[in-house]
Amino acid sequence: NAGVTQTPKFRVLKTGQSMTLLCAQDMNHEYMYWYRQDPGMGLRLIHYSVGEGTTAKGEVPDGYNVSRLKKQNFLLGLESAAPSQTSVYFCASSTLREQYFGPGTRLTVT
Amino acid sequence: AQSVTQLGSHVSVSEGALVLLRCNYSSSVPPYLFWYVQYPNQGLQLLLKYTTGATLVKGINGFEAEFKKSETSFHLTKPSAHMSDAAEYFCAVSSNSGGSNYKLTFGKGTLLTVNP
């Protein structure tokens, strides 16, 4: 089992560019999440999904969109990147409570 | 709404000394509580969790935590620190009821430094 994987591991974008982060899990989990981690802020929930075809807003959803077309994949999109979106992004999946995290994507927006 | 407060953004201990990382929570319903550890440039790994039952919970790498309802606390301890314990530690809470019991609320984290 690979667990939770994230693609890419690193990315540098210019302001206004777009990109998609891919999260994949092989544990057949219903729930999936996208977080961002910033120094001194802990992890903040961006969007989450309670099942295939569903998505919902978390704590800091502005500037991001998500899709869950397949149960095992959860995509995070940035339509027009801004420097404030420079962060480390983590994906997680869970059955009901215990969340399993991916290794993260370090995104820099210049 | 739930919240988590971790007292001390940075804790420094000597190798072999007691590790104590503090976590207080607020929740309107009985909580489920978690401690996660993050090593440099890695994702978060579950250390231990409290759901129901025994209030003293043992986790991996010799860590344990005690759920104290009266104090709304879930402090993490380890009797003897090892250099390999240097990492950032996050306390998290989820609801024990209702439709949001799959979401976690995280504290801001405590960076543990272990000095030789």
Side-chain angles (χ1 to χ4, degrees), chain A residues 12-108:
Chain A
V12 178
L13 287 179
K14 295 187 188 302
T15 297
Q17 288 184 322
S18 63
M19 77 163 294
T20 300
L21 282 66
L22 171 64
C23 175
Q25 53 99 1
D26 61 3
M27 295 174 282
N28 202 35
H29 287 165
E30 290 295 331
Y31 305 99
M32 296 188 74
Y33 316 80
W34 276 106
Y35 295 91
R36 61 177 289 171
Q37 183 180 30
D38 303 290
M41 301 293 288
L43 275 78
R44 294 182 290 170
L45 184 64
I46 304 172
H47 286 281
Y48 63 98
S49 168
V50 301
E52 181 178 317
T54 74
T55 63
K57 294 180 179 179
E59 182 185 353
V60 288
D62 294 342
Y64 305 95
N65 56 76
V66 288
S67 64
R68 183 110 181 259
L69 298 180
K70 293 182 178 181
K71 185 177 183 178
Q72 63 268 33
N73 295 337
F74 195 29
L75 279 62
L76 178 71
L78 286 73
E79 290 187 347
S80 180
S84 60
Q85 294 177 306
T86 293
S87 188
V88 181
Y89 292 86
F90 288 100
C91 176
S93 71
S94 73
T95 48
L96 191 59
R97 298 189 190 285
E98 182 176 333
Q99 293 188 15
Y100 296 81
F101 284 81
T105 294
R106 187 173 295 274
L107 175 66
T108 301

Side-chain angles (χ1 to χ4, degrees), chain A residues 31 33 35 37 40-43 45 48 50 57 90 94-104 106, chain B residues 32 34 36 38 41-44 46 49 51 88 90 94-97 101-104 106-109:
Chain A
Y31 305 99
Y33 316 80
Y35 295 91
Q37 183 180 30
M41 301 293 288
L43 275 78
L45 184 64
Y48 63 98
V50 301
K57 294 180 179 179
F90 288 100
S94 73
T95 48
L96 191 59
R97 298 189 190 285
E98 182 176 333
Q99 293 188 15
Y100 296 81
F101 284 81
R106 187 173 295 274
Chain B
Y32 283 19
F34 305 81
Y36 282 84
Q38 183 181 31
N41 300 314
Q42 294 187 24
L44 277 70
L46 183 68
K49 63 183 177 184
T51 54
E88 189 155 23
F90 293 92
S94 76
S95 170
N96 193 11
S97 67
N101 55 7
Y102 44 82
K103 288 196 290 183
L104 294 179
F106 285 88
K108 295 189 187 314

Side-chain angles (χ1 to χ4, degrees), chain B residues 10-86:
Chain B
H10 187 191
V11 170
S12 183
V13 300
S14 298
E15 192 173 18
L18 171 72
V19 175
L20 170 60
L21 305 183
R22 299 178 188 274
C23 173
N24 289 89
Y25 70 90
S26 70
S27 177
S28 58
V29 296
Y32 283 19
L33 295 158
F34 305 81
W35 276 101
Y36 282 84
V37 60
Q38 183 181 31
Y39 298 104
N41 300 314
Q42 294 187 24
L44 277 70
Q45 177 184 358
L46 183 68
L47 262 183
L48 50 79
K49 63 183 177 184
Y50 167 80
T51 54
T52 58
T55 57
L56 181 62
V57 179
K58 295 187 185 300
I60 62 173
N61 301 337
F63 284 93
E64 63 182 35
E66 186 171 11
F67 170 57
K68 292 188 176 181
K69 184 179 178 180
S70 61
E71 299 177 9
T72 61
S73 68
F74 191 56
H75 301 330
L76 182 70
T77 60
K78 181 175 181 178
S80 177
H82 193 273
M83 297 295 290
S84 60
D85 295 326

